[in-house]
Amino acid sequence: KEAREQFIEMTGELPDVVTACVGGGSNSIGMFEAFLNDPVKIVGVEPLGKGEKIGENASSISFGKDGIIHGFKTKVLQKDDGSIASVYSIASGLDYPGVGPEHAFLSSIGRIEYVPVSDADAVEAFFLLSKLEGIIPAIESAHAVAYAIKLARLMHSGSILVCLSGRGDKDLDYMIKNYPEYLK
């Protein structure tokens, strides 16, 4: 609710789009809940990781099936035999084979759109936001930043509210070591 109130206070209106990264989904549902009854587009961004095959990503809504994990029914990434599949994401906070049941429900009724974003796009967004704004996002949140960048290029006008759910200082050493080409 605080983000909604602050956005209206700063701009005098609601955002056109609200977006956040979605792994298990707790940070994003906290952001989205305040906007569910508003005429805004809400987009959850899932980790596409290395690709669309099971085991290469952690995009439970995009590629999962109905299943039960940790005692609740939701969308779950599964092997052909129905067992829980291995998942992958550069962002450990998004590396989960299921999603909160609220997200599964909101997807099923079409209220929230869920889109996958690759590791490569998240890495690029991580460095871009860091360089241009001096804000180091968590690599989890960089997935939502990557989506917002793509969307902004398509929009002729409007506003996008991005949930930055964590600080990237914990990711800096890893990112610098593994992606030195972005430091130029």
Side-chain angles (χ1 to χ4, degrees), residues 27-138:
N27 84 82
S28 51
I29 205 69
M31 173 64 92
F32 297 163
E33 187 276 329
F35 295 94
L36 289 175
N37 295 318
D38 293 327
V40 302
K41 181 177 181 177
I42 303 175
V43 181
V45 182
E46 296 189 292
L48 181 59
K50 299 174 188 173
E52 295 184 4
K53 294 180 184 172
I54 296 297
E56 292 183 345
N57 66 71
S59 297
S60 303
I61 292 178
S62 297
F63 304 110
K65 301 175 190 169
D66 288 344
I68 296 175
I69 187 169
H70 300 124
F72 57 89
K73 183 177 180 181
T74 188
K75 291 289 184 184
V76 180
L77 290 166
Q78 302 173 41
K79 298 177 188 173
D80 290 337
D81 66 3
S83 63
I84 303 298
S86 296
V87 294
Y88 168 80
S89 171
I90 191 173
S92 60
L94 301 180
D95 205 358
Y96 183 66
V99 67
E102 298 92 343
H103 285 288
F105 171 72
L106 291 164
S107 173
S108 74
I109 64 169
R111 178 59 186 103
I112 298 179
E113 177 184 355
Y114 293 85
V115 299
V117 165
S118 71
D119 283 358
D121 288 343
V123 167
E124 186 175 330
F126 176 92
F127 284 103
L128 190 62
L129 186 61
S130 299
K131 287 178 183 178
L132 296 179
E133 298 295 334
I135 299 169
I136 305 169

Side-chain angles (χ1 to χ4, degrees), residues 152-175:
R153 289 178 178 144
L154 300 173
M155 294 173 65
H156 298 290
S157 64
S159 58
I160 305 168
L161 175 60
V162 180
C163 177
L164 296 180
S165 57
R167 301 183 341 255
D169 57 327
K170 67 177 174 42
D171 298 316
L172 264 179
D173 290 341
Y174 173 83
M175 297 299 279

